Amino acid sequence: MAIWLLLLLSYTIFPQYSSAISITNKITPGFPSSTFIQPEQQATKTNTTTSKLYKEKFFTQILDHFNYNPQSYQKFQQRYLINDRYWGGAGNNNSPIFVYTGNEGDIEWFAQNTGFMFETAPYFKALLVFIEHRFYGKSMPYGGSKEIAYSNSSTLGYLSSTQALADYATLILDLKKNLSATDSPVVVFGGSYGGMLAAWFRLKYPHVAVGALASSAPILNFDNITSPFSFNNIITQDFRSESENCYKVIKRSWQEIENTAAKPGGLEILRKSFRICKNYISAGSLSNWLGTAYTYTAMTDYPTPTNFLNPLPAYPVKQMCKAIDDPATGNNTFEKLYGAANIYYNYTGEAKCFDLIDDSDPHGLGGWTWQACTEMILLTDGNTEDSIFPASNYSYNDRLEFCKSNFNIEPRPSWVPTESLEPRVLKDISKSVIAIVAKEGAHHVDLRFSTSEDPEWLQDVRKEKSISYQSGSLNIIIH
């Protein structure tokens, strides 16, 4: 089954190590930055093939859509990307406008990884628009200053999904008016958090969008609607289905790491075993580093080579387990884990050592720390006794303590399910609200550019989405 975005505190997978980690001052962003592939390197790899995909434009947006205080009327420049190459034009009422509801990061990153929209546009003669989420990328309030926008809870208070949805509605309506395309139907698209926004947009603004495609959107992971163990259960199953031995090696490794670290000279043994840079190491930081690799490899277990988070081979979970099961490593658990971690962190072979406290953010995801302390209280942190990670229960108090310490605010875990009228996602609700369940898959893999190596099930999912649009079944939730 397709696996969704991990949104959790940096210490929640391994709560027993939280006191040993020196860097726990923020919530892990939706996607982890790569310590070894710098932003300029990624730009070099993508700009040559994506520079003609869209034009960059800006819209003057209001800061606060819902209040009438003097500061509410402040303006900022919101970025959007547009591609009119395939558009049938405003005169053709059947030519739709496909809008991507931007995620928690630079909109170009998501546009470049949403090939389904570009590949579908010619068939429907669609205009493509990708709108950047406020407080991310170049869409920064307060004169474009990220330093000011992120400076305190008063400025960050305007960063919310509700404000973002209103941004999208305002921009779309203005764009349609300027293009004399008021009768052109709008369909919104999104993956992960962006998929949540797409689903919510269709519910909140039905007069603006006739349909929504929400891929890998965890819209039920709130307020005890879904088990807090479900996310890590899927990760466990991903590895266990590849190899029982692989699963067992990872499962028992956490205690082995802790035992080794407690010995005289144990941290140096761990440093050398995993080629950790000399600036910092602890049992907790090493465990979280490994846990991140397993989690995001499972999440991006794509059937083709990709460079979405980090450069990865096709089916990277399988490759990790091959490294762990390699007989050449004998019974050396750490050598096995090092080989597995290399799949995620160093597939290019360029890294000389691994920096456990590098907090670089090449995709500009830092605003998610605030969102995960206000409304995005997703229950993904529990681990059963069978989990690949150490057994633990979800603890709201950990989140509460963190958010009070960092922002002097309390999260509102019930706000999203109260405000957003959560739809179901595992079965059709009506003839026009349908669910396409991908039992095989990875994080919004259905939105990625197609390749000749795509498996049949993925080709079928993409075809089914297109057919659903043609037949009028417009609200599509991909789980």
Side-chain angles (χ1 to χ4, degrees), residues 59-173:
F59 174 73
T60 300
Q61 188 63 265
I62 193 170
L63 179 64
D64 183 3
H65 295 277
F66 305 108
N67 294 288
Y68 301 92
N69 301 316
Q71 63 267 28
S72 298
Y73 294 89
Q74 294 183 39
K75 302 294 198 308
F76 70 96
Q77 295 302 301
Q78 183 168 28
R79 179 168 60 157
Y80 66 99
L81 312 175
I82 191 166
N83 181 318
D84 60 2
R85 178 178 178 181
Y86 308 107
W87 194 33
N92 185 347
N93 291 342
N94 292 323
S95 295
I97 301 174
F98 289 172
V99 177
Y100 188 93
T101 50
N103 300 50
E104 70 288 21
D106 188 305
I107 190 60
E108 290 194 77
W109 183 40
F110 293 105
Q112 293 165 11
N113 285 278
T114 310
F116 177 78
M117 290 177 64
F118 292 98
E119 294 173 350
T120 306
Y123 296 100
F124 299 104
K125 298 181 180 180
L127 175 69
L128 299 181
V129 182
F130 296 81
I131 308 177
E132 190 164 66
H133 196 297
R134 57 168 54 205
F135 284 79
Y136 293 101
K138 296 182 181 180
S139 301
M140 204 63 61
Y142 302 100
S145 171
K146 184 175 181 178
E147 182 178 358
I148 296 176
Y150 283 34
S151 61
N152 57 64
S153 298
S154 295
T155 55
L156 283 168
Y158 297 105
L159 169 54
S160 72
S161 61
T162 310
Q163 295 280 7
L165 293 173
D167 287 343
Y168 300 155
T170 303
L171 193 157
I172 290 169
L173 291 174

Side-chain angles (χ1 to χ4, degrees), residues 152-457:
N152 57 64
S153 298
S154 295
T155 55
L156 283 168
Y158 297 105
L159 169 54
S160 72
S161 61
T162 310
Q163 295 280 7
L165 293 173
D167 287 343
Y168 300 155
T170 303
L171 193 157
I172 290 169
L173 291 174
D174 187 82
L175 180 64
K176 291 180 69 175
K177 180 180 178 180
N178 290 338
L179 294 175
S180 300
T182 55
D183 294 328
S184 295
V186 172
V187 180
V188 289
F189 295 71
S192 190
Y193 171 53
M196 298 162 74
L197 293 172
W200 295 336
F201 190 89
R202 171 64 177 131
L203 292 169
K204 287 178 173 294
Y205 298 97
H207 63 294
V208 179
V210 300
L213 191 156
S215 177
S216 297
I219 54 180
L220 295 182
N221 271 68
F222 291 94
D223 203 29
N224 295 316
I225 298 173
T226 301
S227 167
F229 302 110
S230 60
F231 181 84
N232 288 332
N233 284 347
I234 295 173
I235 297 173
T236 298
Q237 181 58 32
D238 281 351
F239 281 89
R240 197 168 193 175
S241 64
E242 286 295 338
S243 163
E244 183 71 15
N245 179 67
C246 178
Y247 157 76
K248 289 180 177 179
V249 168
I250 296 175
K251 183 172 177 57
R252 69 171 182 253
S253 67
W254 313 113
Q255 190 62 52
E256 190 168 342
I257 289 172
E258 187 175 9
N259 292 343
T260 301
K263 297 176 181 178
L267 288 178
E268 189 61 25
I269 293 174
L270 293 174
R271 184 195 309 281
K272 291 180 178 178
S273 297
F274 291 95
R275 285 65 162 177
I276 305 302
C277 299
K278 294 183 177 181
N279 57 338
Y280 180 79
I281 189 172
S282 70
S285 61
L286 178 61
S287 293
N288 276 292
W289 179 76
L290 289 169
T292 295
Y294 304 143
T295 298
Y296 289 102
T297 298
M299 189 180 77
T300 56
D301 193 28
Y302 299 130
T304 56
T306 61
N307 188 29
F308 181 39
L309 302 185
N310 287 341
L312 288 173
Y315 299 107
V317 171
K318 182 187 293 291
Q319 298 306 316
M320 271 194 170
C321 283
K322 281 186 177 179
I324 289 174
D325 293 341
D326 186 355
T329 57
N331 295 320
N332 189 329
T333 298
F334 296 159
E335 192 64 21
K336 292 176 181 295
L337 299 184
Y338 168 74
N342 253 337
I343 299 297
Y344 180 76
Y345 288 115
N346 191 31
Y347 189 65
T348 62
E350 298 173 359
K352 303 302 181 184
C353 68
F354 301 111
D355 186 351
L356 299 186
I357 57 173
D358 186 333
D359 61 351
S360 58
D361 185 14
H363 299 296
L365 310 173
W368 189 258
T369 306
W370 168 263
Q371 290 192 261
C373 267
T374 51
E375 57 183 354
M376 294 298 157
I377 314 302
L378 291 154
L379 308 183
T380 59
D381 305 335
N383 289 288
T384 66
E385 291 295 332
D386 289 331
S387 174
I388 201 171
F389 303 114
S392 63
N393 290 316
Y394 168 76
S395 174
Y396 171 73
N397 288 334
D398 288 342
R399 180 76 60 99
L400 176 63
E401 181 181 350
F402 172 88
C403 297
K404 280 188 173 181
S405 174
N406 284 265
F407 300 111
N408 194 29
I409 59 171
E410 291 188 22
R412 299 179 183 177
S414 299
W415 172 243
V416 168
T418 300
E419 168 70 10
S420 300
L421 302 174
E422 304 292 333
R424 295 179 181 271
V425 294
L426 291 178
K427 63 181 180 180
D428 296 352
I429 298 176
S430 68
K431 292 182 179 180
S432 64
V433 182
I434 68 172
I436 302 174
V437 180
K439 292 184 178 180
E440 298 178 81
H443 199 48
H444 49 75
V445 63
D446 50 296
L447 292 184
R448 297 184 60 77
F449 282 97
S450 62
T451 75
S452 59
E453 301 172 3
D454 288 342
E456 185 175 353
W457 67 263

